[in-house]
Amino acid sequence: MAESSFTSALSPAASQANYDPLTKKLRAGASYATTRPSEDVDTSDRPSEDVDRSDDFPTSFKFGASIFDAWRRPEPVARSDFPPSFKFGASSSALQTESYATEGRRGHCTWDEMLGDLPAVHSLILHFLVQDTTKGPHSINKQGVDFYNRLLDELNHNGIMPMVTLCHFDVPSALQKKYNGILGRQFVNDFNDYANLCFQLFGDKVKHWITFNEPSVYCESGYQYEMTGKDEPAIYPYLAAHHLLLAHATSVKTYRDCYQKQQNGKIGISLVTAWFLPYSGSCHDIVYLDPIVTGDYPFSMKSIVRDRLPQFSSEEKKMLEGSYDFIGVNYYTSRYTRALPFSPNDIPVSYAKDQYVEMLTEDKDGVPIGPQSEGMEFMYIAPKWLASILVNLKTKYNNPLIYITENGYPQLIQDKTMEEICDDQVRIDYIKDHLVSIRTALREGVNVDGYFSWTLMDNMEVKGYYYTIGFGLHHVDIPNDFERFPKKSAFWYRKFLSGKRAPLLSEPIIAKEPIMEPINAKATV
Ligand code: BGC
C-alpha cells in the first residue's frame, strides 16, 4: 500500500488521475477529493484497495478501529452533525485586510516594515486592532474607535458574534523603535493598557476576546532573524515568548478582575497547531500552552534551554496558571518528524535547533503527508490529524473549551480569470474534510464550540505571497475598486449552514490512538 497516507484523502482512481508522483503535486486543475457526486452530500468513503479478511490475514491477526476510522466513513457532513449552539464563521485580520498604514491614522506596525506599504482591502472584519500607533500605546485613535463601533454594531445587529483578536502580529513600530517591541519588558504593561482600553471601549459588544494570534509564528519567525536584524536566534525567541506570555496573562487578569463579571465574556489565545507523525503526542504550541495551563514552561523545554530560558516569578506563575477561558486552534497542515541526536554539550544555535527534531513532509517511502496545496508549497492538506490534535488537547489539558479560529485553503489566484478563481471546489472539499475531523473530535467528547474558516475574503498574504494567492470565501477585485465576488465556497458554506439542525449523532468509537498523559490542568470557566 504505497499510497497509504493518500488513501484517506483520495480514492485510488482520483489519486492516479490527479496526483503527479514526480512533482508530488496535484495535477493542474485537480481537486484533491474529486470523487464526490454532489456538493452537499459527501458519499465518498475513500476506499483503499480491496482486502479480504480470510485471504490476506492470519486468523490470529487482531483488528480494531481507531478514531480515524470515523473520519473514513462515508457519512456526509451536515450542519446537523454539530450542536445547535456551535458557532460557524470566517476569520480575517486587520493588517491583511484593512488599509494602508497611513490611512485612518492606523500607523505602522512591525509587519508593515517587513512588507512595505501595501494596499489592503477595506472590509468588514472579525479580528481587529484599535490604537493610534502613530502616537504610541496610550493614545486613542478616535477615527479607529468610531469605525470599530460601527462595525461591531453592524455585526451584532446582523446576528454575527464578533470574536476579536487584540494582536495579530501587528505590534506598533513605535514600540519596536522605543524598546525593541516585544523584546522589551515594558511591552507587558503597554499591551495590558491597550487591552484594558479595548475592554473598556468595546466590552459591551464583544463577548470573545483573543489576546494574541499564533505567538509561535510571531516570536519564532519574527525574532529568530527577521525583526531585529541581530543574530541571537537562540535567545530572542525565548525572550519574546516570555514577554508575550506575561502580556497575555496580565491582560487576562485585567479582564477577569475588572470586566468579565459585568460584561459576561470570555478570553483566550489562538495557537497554531500541527500534528506530528509518528513520534506525535504533542501540539506545536506547547511552549505557549503549557505555561498558561500550568503556570510554567514544560520540563523538556527547561531541561534543553536551561539558563537561556527566562524564569517566571512565583507571582507570575500564579497569574499565568489557568489564564484562558478557551483555546483558539489554528490548523492548516501537519508533518512527519524525526528525532535529531541530542547531547547536553551541544552549543546552542537557535530556537529551531533546540527542538532536536526534523520536520518532514514525506514518510520514509516518499509519500507526502497529504496532497500539496496549489498556492503554498509547504502546505500539505491533512485534515484527519486535526481530530488528533483536538483529542490530545482534551486529554492532556482537561478538556478546554476550543474554537477553531483559523483553517483554510491557499488557492493560486495570480493570472487566473474571475471564473477560475470563483470555481473553488477544492476549498469546499477542504472545509468539508476538516469539518469531518471536527465531528470526529466532538464524538470523542472534545469541547469544541466553533469553526472559523480562514478567510472571509482574499487579502494580503504574509510570507511574501502578497496578492498571488487567496484564502477567501470571496474574491476581491482590487484593480476594479475592490469589488467583491462570492466564490462557490461561499455559496456552499451558506447552504451548509442553512441545513436542518438535529441532535448530534452518537457513534461508537472502539479504540483511540495513544495519547499523552494528562498534565495537571486547572479547570477554568
Ligand atoms: C496567519 C494568517 C495567515 C494564514 C495563512 C496564519 O498562520 O494567522 O495571518 O494569513 O496563516 O498563511
Side-chain angles (χ1 to χ4, degrees):
M1 289 256 301
E3 285 190 356
S4 58
S5 69
F6 266 98
T7 48
S8 54
L10 287 166
S11 74
S15 65
Q16 276 156 29
N18 297 328
Y19 178 64
D20 181 341
L22 281 179
T23 59
K24 300 198 173 87
K25 285 185 183 182
L26 286 178
R27 295 190 205 283
S31 157
Y32 74 94
T34 52
T35 50
R36 294 176 183 146
S38 87
E39 238 182 55
D40 40 10
V41 180
D42 171 5
T43 54
S44 81
D45 63 353
R46 307 171 173 92
S48 54
E49 65 189 75
D50 281 346
V51 285
D52 190 299
R53 168 69 178 102
S54 50
D55 293 346
D56 298 337
F57 298 90
T59 37
S60 60
F61 196 90
K62 320 277 179 306
F63 283 92
S66 76
I67 61 167
F68 307 119
D69 290 329
W71 192 85
R72 287 164 192 257
R73 286 197 188 111
E75 199 190 314
V77 63
R79 174 63 183 91
S80 55
D81 294 343
F82 300 83
S85 60
F86 194 91
K87 287 127 194 109
F88 284 95
S91 47
S92 179
S93 86
L95 171 77
Q96 292 169 264
T97 324
E98 277 188 7
S99 65
Y100 288 105
T102 44
E103 242 174 71
R105 300 193 62 76
R106 169 163 83 75
H108 280 91
C109 68
T110 41
W111 281 76
D112 292 310
E113 309 208 339
M114 285 167 67
L115 301 166
D117 204 9
L118 292 160
V121 182
H122 288 269
S123 70
L124 289 183
I125 50 150
L126 303 184
H127 286 171
F128 64 78
L129 172 80
V130 171
Q131 63 192 149
D132 189 342
T133 52
T134 55
K135 287 192 187 156
H138 301 290
S139 59
I140 298 180
N141 177 2
K142 173 110 187 19
Q143 229 175 309
V145 171
D146 290 348
F147 169 75
Y148 287 120
N149 264 322
R150 287 199 307 276
L151 168 63
L152 291 170
D153 285 342
E154 197 64 23
L155 290 173
N156 284 320
H157 183 72
N158 284 285
I160 299 170
M161 179 199 93
M163 185 178 261
V164 174
T165 301
L166 293 166
C167 182
H168 190 112
F169 311 146
D170 33 13
V171 171
S173 305
L175 305 188
Q176 188 66 27
K177 288 193 189 101
K178 202 165 150 196
Y179 49 73
N180 258 332
I182 201 165
L183 292 184
R185 176 74 193 208
Q186 209 181 317
F187 177 82
V188 177
N189 289 339
D190 284 345
F191 181 82
N192 184 47
D193 285 350
Y194 155 63
N196 183 45
L197 184 68
C198 292
F199 303 147
Q200 213 176 77
L201 290 169
F202 307 115
D204 56 332
K205 298 170 184 161
V206 177
K207 300 302 163 208
H208 290 78
W209 294 99
I210 294 169
T211 52
F212 288 94
N213 176 63
E214 300 189 349
S216 62
V217 172
Y218 190 65
C219 297
E220 293 158 31
S221 310
Y223 287 92
Q224 286 203 76
Y225 309 99
E226 293 158 31
M227 204 83 82
T228 57
K230 291 182 205 152
D231 201 4
E232 291 286 8
I235 295 180
Y236 285 164
Y238 296 108
L239 195 58
H242 196 73
H243 292 157
L244 184 145
L245 281 162
L246 289 173
H248 160 83
T250 312
S251 57
V252 170
K253 183 168 172 6
T254 300
Y255 186 64
R256 287 182 171 166
D257 288 354
C258 311
Y259 299 97
Q260 192 162 43
K261 214 159 161 213
Q262 311 90 286
Q263 296 182 351
N264 198 22
K266 289 185 165 61
I267 188 159
I269 188 165
S270 276
L271 308 176
V272 67
T273 60
W275 188 252
F276 297 138
L277 295 144
Y279 301 111
S280 103
S282 120
C283 294
H284 195 47
D285 257 350
I286 113 177
V287 171
Y288 297 88
L289 192 48
D290 276 34
I292 67 168
V293 175
T294 67
D296 206 355
Y297 295 112
F299 175 75
S300 56
M301 190 176 167
K302 288 203 268 193
S303 55
I304 291 176
V305 188
R306 287 179 280 177
D307 54 358
R308 287 177 293 127
L309 189 65
Q311 288 181 18
F312 296 117
S313 68
S314 45
E315 206 179 305
E316 288 168 348
K317 283 184 185 167
K318 242 169 73 195
M319 189 172 66
L320 271 161
E321 190 182 344
S323 61
Y324 59 94
D325 298 326
F326 64 86
I327 302 296
V329 164
N330 293 358
Y331 178 77
Y332 289 92
T333 193
S334 282
R335 289 285 184 264
Y336 291 102
T337 51
R338 189 158 56 199
L340 294 172
F342 167 77
S343 153
N345 303 323
D346 286 345
I347 296 174
V349 175
S350 66
Y351 174 97
K353 179 79 202 325
D354 284 341
Q355 295 175 36
Y356 286 93
V357 81
E358 190 181 4
M359 298 199 196
L360 306 155
T361 55
E362 294 174 358
D363 71 6
K364 57 182 173 20
D365 300 319
V367 180
I369 196 155
Q372 197 173 23
S373 72
E374 201 189 1
M376 284 175 143
E377 61 285 356
F378 61 87
M379 205 171 292
Y380 289 74
I381 303 158
K384 66 179 175 178
W385 302 114
L386 175 58
S388 304
I389 290 170
L390 295 173
V391 172
N392 181 265
L393 285 172
K394 173 193 165 203
T395 316
K396 194 176 165 201
Y397 297 99
N398 197 21
N399 206 8
L401 175 61
I402 295 172
Y403 291 100
I404 310 299
T405 36
E406 280 186 32
N407 171 245
Y409 180 78
Q411 178 193 13
L412 196 63
I413 58 173
Q414 196 175 29
D415 303 327
K416 288 202 174 162
T417 63
M418 184 64 72
E419 286 67 34
E420 285 167 340
I421 293 172
C422 288
D423 186 8
D424 62 341
Q425 181 62 38
V426 63
R427 175 167 293 107
I428 297 171
D429 294 336
Y430 180 98
I431 297 175
K432 275 182 185 174
D433 284 347
H434 285 85
L435 290 179
V436 168
S437 213
I438 297 166
R439 180 178 66 189
T440 302
L442 273 168
R443 289 171 181 170
E444 283 292 303
V446 175
N447 190 10
V448 53
D449 185 42
Y451 171 85
F452 298 85
S453 163
W454 180 270
T455 172
L456 185 60
M457 55 188 77
D458 289 345
N459 58 26
M460 192 279 296
E461 184 45 43
V462 296
K463 305 179 196 88
Y465 289 95
Y466 303 117
Y467 299 98
T468 60
I469 59 171
F471 276 86
L473 297 167
H474 297 78
H475 180 60
V476 184
D477 193 2
I478 298 180
N480 291 314
D481 204 20
F482 296 92
E483 204 181 333
R484 293 139 202 195
F485 295 88
K487 298 181 191 173
K488 195 172 166 187
S489 56
F491 291 112
W492 173 83
Y493 203 23
R494 189 165 64 184
K495 201 166 159 199
F496 167 82
L497 291 178
S498 63
K500 275 206 211 100
R501 294 171 177 197
L504 187 66
L505 299 170
S506 62
E507 208 169 286
I509 308 277
I510 303 160
K512 297 189 182 76
E513 291 293 298
I515 31 193
M516 288 176 79
E517 289 297 296
I519 62 169
N520 187 18
K522 187 176 160 185
T524 53
V525 166

